[in-house]
Amino acid sequence: MMSRESDVIVYVVSDAAGDTGEYVVRAALAQFHPIHTDIRRAPFVTSKTVLEGIAMKVKQLDAIVMYTLVIPELREHMRLLAEQYDIQAIDLLGSLIEMLELRTGRKSRQEPGLNHVLDADYFKKVEAVEFAVRYDDARDPSGVKKADIVLVGVSRTSKTPLSMYLAHQKFKVANVPLVPEIKPPEELFQVPRSKIIGLTINVNYLNIIRKERLKALGLPDTASYATTDRIELELDYAETIMKKLQCTVIDVSHRAVEETASLIMEKVKQA
């Protein structure tokens, strides 16, 4: 059983990494923000036995399956399992591959992961993802000077999800949490303001998000972290720092990560 009525669990099944399927799922789910969603990847599937195990889990959890299986035998087996277990499954690639085969008169190469050919562009994306992980939450402030984009904001303004999303667009992103009790790193004030994006959010909306976070951690939602007074204090402090930085500020209230990322990329390209 799912934890909340609005929960949606989506299994992305692939005989490669599963990036394509996850991108499509996230793009669709953005239209239903802010419902809670749980995307679970099942990558590098190479056998029917593995697919059968996934189908059983999907049935048990009442989940949805999005599959990008290039190998015909696996694709057909997934289709049959969906019928057998009466689960909702979407074949993202199958119909298009079959249509292209008919149109071109050629058989597909049936090689998973060809969109991840190890070229310079792919390595740039990997490098950006590694950068985002290394310099998340200002663990190493030196990353601020090396970044293409620096995100600043209070806790739960989607700094980390945005960093990872932008990394997949090949931007090196560092993010810095703004906390009244902790002085921002000096490096932050040595970066061109055109590279810095401030993230702000509505008080009441952040109050809801933080309460949900505390519940997820098994903590009482009455903790000071989620109180209106604490949130107002943090946002006022963040606003003061952003004014000093003279950076662009984006309100992330009720915005999906993809939407905010698009605004950030637009701002950076204009700089």
Side-chain angles (χ1 to χ4, degrees):
M1 294 294 291
M2 292 180 288
S3 59
R4 292 196 294 273
E5 188 177 342
S6 60
D7 285 359
V8 176
I9 299 174
V10 182
Y11 268 82
V12 177
V13 182
S14 177
D15 40 19
D19 288 343
T20 302
E22 182 165 347
Y23 289 155
V24 172
V25 172
R26 289 193 181 281
L29 290 173
Q31 302 302 316
F32 300 91
H33 182 77
I35 67 167
H36 178 76
T37 56
D38 183 0
I39 300 175
R40 305 183 184 186
R41 280 204 208 189
F44 305 111
V45 174
T46 57
S47 74
K48 294 180 180 180
T49 302
V50 172
L51 285 179
E52 288 161 8
I54 293 169
M56 291 175 67
K57 288 181 183 177
V58 168
K59 179 65 176 178
Q60 181 182 11
L61 296 170
D62 191 23
I64 298 170
V65 174
M66 168 77 78
Y67 59 101
T68 56
L69 296 166
V70 173
I71 300 171
E73 292 80 6
L74 294 178
R75 196 164 66 235
E76 175 63 12
H77 195 61
M78 186 70 251
R79 185 187 69 78
L80 293 173
L81 286 169
E83 290 182 1
Q84 178 184 341
Y85 287 95
D86 190 26
I87 56 180
Q88 294 175 305
I90 301 165
D91 180 0
L92 186 61
L93 295 181
S95 297
L96 181 57
I97 289 174
E98 290 168 7
M99 188 178 295
L100 289 171
E101 286 179 337
L102 285 172
R103 179 60 65 91
T104 63
R106 300 176 60 180
K107 295 293 289 182
S108 71
R109 293 171 64 176
Q110 299 177 13
E111 296 177 38
L114 285 180
N115 59 326
H116 280 172
V117 175
L118 300 183
D119 55 14
D121 192 61
Y122 177 71
F123 281 118
K124 189 174 181 181
K125 181 188 292 188
V126 171
E127 185 180 3
V129 170
E130 291 177 345
F131 187 96
V133 173
R134 186 179 304 122
Y135 298 112
D136 184 44
D137 270 350
R139 290 182 189 133
D140 180 352
S142 68
V144 170
K145 286 188 171 182
K146 304 172 189 174
D148 301 318
I149 301 171
V150 180
L151 304 178
V152 299
V154 303
S155 174
R156 311 313 293 177
T157 48
S158 300
K159 295 186 299 299
T160 298
L162 280 167
S163 296
M164 295 307 299
Y165 185 93
L166 290 166
H168 279 85
Q169 310 306 313
K170 299 182 287 295
F171 289 97
K172 291 182 178 178
V173 185
N175 72 75
V176 178
L178 297 180
V179 184
E181 294 79 11
I182 302 175
K183 186 178 179 181
E186 288 299 323
E187 290 87 346
L188 187 59
F189 298 92
Q190 299 165 7
V191 175
R193 65 183 181 183
S194 59
K195 289 187 175 185
I196 305 174
I197 301 292
L199 304 175
T200 190
I201 192 169
N202 174 271
V203 173
N204 294 329
Y205 188 53
L206 183 54
N207 176 252
I208 293 169
I209 292 173
R210 287 192 173 183
K211 283 184 175 179
E212 287 298 313
R213 177 59 177 163
L214 289 171
K215 287 180 183 176
L217 293 172
L219 300 171
D221 62 10
T222 54
S224 62
Y225 173 75
T227 62
T228 301
D229 288 345
R230 174 63 192 185
I231 289 170
E232 288 177 345
L233 173 67
E234 289 186 30
L235 289 174
D236 287 345
Y237 172 74
E239 183 180 0
T240 301
I241 297 298
M242 291 174 196
K243 283 181 178 178
K244 286 182 181 178
L245 293 168
Q246 296 183 309
C247 64
T248 296
V249 179
I250 296 176
D251 190 335
V252 301
S253 305
H254 304 286
R255 277 202 170 106
V257 167
E258 293 84 354
E259 183 184 356
T260 305
S262 294
L263 292 173
I264 292 171
M265 288 186 284
E266 186 179 336
K267 293 286 185 184
V268 171
K269 287 172 184 176
Q270 290 173 356

